[in-house]
Amino acid sequence: PPQRALVSRIGLIVLGLCCCLVLFYLLACKPASHSSQKSLLWPGGATSKEGYMALLQEREDSHRHYINSLTKQIAQLKEALQERTQQLQESLDKARTKGILPQGLESLHKTQTQFDLKEFFRSQLNQAEVNSGATLPSEYAVIPFDTFTLQRVYQLETGLTRHPEERPVRKDRRNELLGAVETALHILNGPQQHVDNARRKHTYSPSNFVEGLARTERDRGSVYELTFRGDGLQDFTQLVLFRPFGPVMKVNSDSVDTRSMLINIIVPLSKRSDAFRLFINNFREVCIQQDGRVHLTVVYFGRDQIDQVKSMLDQTTSFTLIQMNEEFSRGRGLDVGARAWRQSQNVLLFFCDVDIHFTADFLTSCRLNTEPGKKVYYPVLFSQYNPSIIYSNQSVLPSIQQQLVIRKETGFWRDFGFGMTCQYRSDFINIGGFDRNIKGWGLEDVHLYRKYLHSKLMVIRAPSRGLFHLWHEKTCADELPPDKYKMCMQTKAMSEASHGQLGELFFKREPCRHLQENHKKKKLSFNK
């Protein structure tokens, strides 16, 4: 027992010594105070006030260095920009001195204090064909419009794969056109338009949108001519918007009342009483029953079938029949019909052929896209292919109304024809009318078209969704001169069927031969 007590005492003493050594070690290795060293900031960790201040000072120094670096770079860029601007100004001065400054760069030849973005946009508007027409060298220089509604776009540049009538597949194109309509609605419904009580009563919506025309001049901008229906069926508002490759600018806003706009349809005719019967039925339905503001002038050449034509006209109101005992000349007939108008009113003329079918919407477009002394309308009609080829798989041909469908299988935009046109009689007389020396078929419409292109009048060239050329057998007379005969044959070839349909007709033996060969191969393999 005494020995055990001694061992316990010695153990306690050793344990106490160890604890003292540990305590002494901890006191000797104590870390320095926070005041003598920087603290690192860590998200979620604790630190002292002095540590935060040190960190903020460090961040401030870092940002100051970054700002100094950016300021230095901006100064270098300004110096480079000033140098390039001086070089450009010297080049423009030299070009102006030599008289070779390109058109459209005149606005750049200004001091920096004179030039601003708004003035540039205004110069683009003044140079674009918006408020007035431009002198053009030929019919090929015309930039045609696209016609569009809220659902469809009608365009000429279709090629072999695209459709003459289509929904805009590309989102940017769709947003562009719908954005123009939305901008127009915002203008029409804005407070600046509420100038009288009558205007306040009407709020425009997308359902009031009738039709739009759009085209882009690549070095100027895009033009949009938008038509909205007003309070009455014959009241319209037209807006012209211009996008100079920047924000859309309002050009003007006009209210158009078409009640008093009488259209005189002039049709030159010789024989073809069956075609005239279809035309007069279309005339009665659209012009008399639906529109009611149309006069018909028929210039008839010769005496053959004149009695049938007279009997059909006797059942029609508001018409004039002029008989010409001479050789048929389309230009001569249209010229005589236009000058035969004896009323004081400056009538709107629609030069038309007997194989044309039109709708009431086209008559509205005819009125809205023409203006005396300012605009003439040259619509691009949709030309029908040979129905016997298009509907060869059907036992009975569809009716005329059912055939009037705008698809690439049923027809094409007749963009090489300029015969159907709307223009005021005063403009037709002032421009000099048709060339009366041209006989028979062709060229007289091109000559008149070129006259307007060489004038200051605006030429509205756009596809029309309400104007159709009905297919008929075309005969090219042997007595035609070579240039006219070639034009006639080209028109005849294009009017028969589409590229694919003509290919099927031309290669129709190939599929049969292919089937026969496959049948022989299968029979031989079966016998083996």
Side-chain angles (χ1 to χ4, degrees), residues 62 121 128 176 201 210 217 220 233 239 246 290 312 315 327 345 412 418 422 473 513 516:
S62 175
F121 287 162
E176 173 202 356
K201 293 179 182 178
V210 178
E217 297 180 37
R220 298 287 180 265
L233 294 177
L239 275 82
Q290 300 181 30
M312 286 182 275
Q315 305 171 25
E327 181 185 356
Q345 181 182 4
F412 64 99
F418 309 97
C422 295
E473 185 71 35
R513 182 185 58 81
Q516 291 175 357

Side-chain angles (χ1 to χ4, degrees), residues 21 39-40 64 84 88 93 107 169 206 377 478:
L21 289 173
S39 170
L40 296 178
R64 187 180 295 110
R84 291 299 182 99
L88 176 62
D93 289 337
S107 58
V169 178
Y377 183 38
D478 293 335

